[in-house]
Amino acid sequence: MLGRYRQALLGGHLLWWSLLLSVGGALLAGCGGGGGGASSGNLTVIGTVLTVETDAPPNPPATVSIAGHSTTTSNNGAFTLTGIPASATTATVSAQGEQTLTLNLQLPSQSTQPVNLGTIFLSASGYNASVTGQIVTTVNGQNQPVGGATVTIGGSSTLSGSDGSFTISNLPVGLGNDPNIPIGSVSATGYVTKQIFVQAPLIAGVNPLGPISLGAPISSSVPGLPYTIIGQVLKNGQGQPNYPVILQQGSTVVGNTHTDSTGTFSFWVVPGSYTIVVFLPDGSSVTQPVTLQSTNQPVTQNVNLP
């Protein structure tokens, strides 16, 4: 019965948080929303605190503190803090019988909605568990990595790399004590959000999760070749071989490759807006924006060198 708290809250808070990260590109440990109050430095922060041992709110209630403002959680583990400055960088969560947790924050300067820290898990055994894995999808019966997917576990999030790999550290030891309750989720534009389950609680140290498949995209089909963005690096109309090329989404690198003998490069990523960056021998670079609308409509975008 205690597991119902985590089941309900993960289904709402983590999905909400992951969607906001996809839009805003804001990464933080355990945060994923906007702030309450339209002016900078006057944010409202909300969230829910559970313990990994019981999947239920702490009893007695937990204390949540940010930038000199403190409050205690309600019967369902929820909390609200108002008047939080956008410059706040950490939140401290403590409860009787649990080790104190310090969360790193990256708050928006202003917003009309509360900053939702999602579900925060406290542990009596500490926060030195980490997870590794790879986000993949199936193309022509073969697994292909998905870069730029948002992976959220235990209130902390990251983006998968160009090879689909991810690592999340500083997670609560003991998270996932019920194998029927998800510990997190994976979301990517164009795909159905996938919940993450583990068969045993997280232990101190590294916990490999292996490949996590997003399955078929929401769209009706996927490209026949393992790429969604392809192009050539050209100079005077000629392909330029062995040029380093990266693909960025905001400031995050989601793809890294070199042009082949014909100057061709390709990336497999989910729909979104990206920047192709080609590095020249003199140390300078040339950039080219590109937008991928759908996984079943690969984009060809060449980069012309001066």
Side-chain angles (χ1 to χ4, degrees), residues 73-170:
T73 54
S74 65
N75 290 339
N76 66 357
F79 67 88
T80 299
L81 285 168
T82 59
I84 302 301
S87 59
T89 58
T90 60
T92 301
V93 187
S94 60
Q96 181 177 314
E98 308 293 333
Q99 292 197 27
T100 298
L101 172 64
T102 299
L103 289 173
N104 294 320
L105 304 178
Q106 185 178 335
L107 301 177
S109 59
Q110 57 183 353
S111 177
T112 58
Q113 299 296 324
V115 175
N116 190 349
L117 301 189
T119 304
I120 301 168
F121 291 98
L122 294 179
S123 171
S125 302
Y127 306 95
N128 57 343
S130 64
V131 296
T132 60
Q134 182 187 33
I135 308 304
V136 299
T137 191
T138 302
V139 181
N140 294 335
Q142 300 291 324
N143 279 346
Q144 295 294 335
V146 176
T150 300
V151 185
T152 304
I153 296 177
S156 297
S157 284
T158 190
L159 293 178
S160 60
S162 59
D163 61 353
S165 65
F166 68 89
T167 299
I168 299 179
S169 302
N170 302 320

Side-chain angles (χ1 to χ4, degrees), residues 89-288:
T89 58
T90 60
T92 301
V93 187
S94 60
Q96 181 177 314
E98 308 293 333
Q99 292 197 27
T100 298
L101 172 64
T102 299
L103 289 173
N104 294 320
L105 304 178
Q106 185 178 335
L107 301 177
S109 59
Q110 57 183 353
S111 177
T112 58
Q113 299 296 324
V115 175
N116 190 349
L117 301 189
T119 304
I120 301 168
F121 291 98
L122 294 179
S123 171
S125 302
Y127 306 95
N128 57 343
S130 64
V131 296
T132 60
Q134 182 187 33
I135 308 304
V136 299
T137 191
T138 302
V139 181
N140 294 335
Q142 300 291 324
N143 279 346
Q144 295 294 335
V146 176
T150 300
V151 185
T152 304
I153 296 177
S156 297
S157 284
T158 190
L159 293 178
S160 60
S162 59
D163 61 353
S165 65
F166 68 89
T167 299
I168 299 179
S169 302
N170 302 320
L171 293 173
V173 174
L175 181 63
N177 65 80
D178 187 337
N180 298 311
I181 297 176
I183 66 169
S185 65
V186 181
S187 64
T189 303
Y191 291 83
V192 176
T193 296
K194 183 181 182 67
Q195 293 181 321
I196 300 173
F197 296 85
V198 291
Q199 295 304 306
L202 300 187
I203 62 173
V206 179
N207 298 260
L209 301 183
I212 300 174
S213 178
L214 289 178
I218 296 173
S219 54
S220 60
S221 61
V222 296
L225 295 174
Y227 61 78
T228 49
I229 295 176
I230 190 171
Q232 278 184 293
V233 175
L234 302 171
K235 186 171 185 178
N236 299 323
Q238 299 297 315
Q240 301 299 299
N242 203 34
Y243 269 66
V245 184
I246 66 172
L247 189 68
Q248 288 184 304
Q249 188 171 48
S251 60
T252 302
V253 176
V254 296
N256 190 340
T257 189
H258 283 73
T259 56
D260 64 14
S261 60
T262 66
T264 300
F265 61 87
S266 62
F267 300 100
W268 177 275
V269 290
V270 297
S273 296
Y274 301 91
T275 301
I276 301 168
V277 183
V278 179
F279 295 95
L280 308 185
D282 63 3
S284 62
S285 62
V286 175
T287 62
Q288 175 66 54

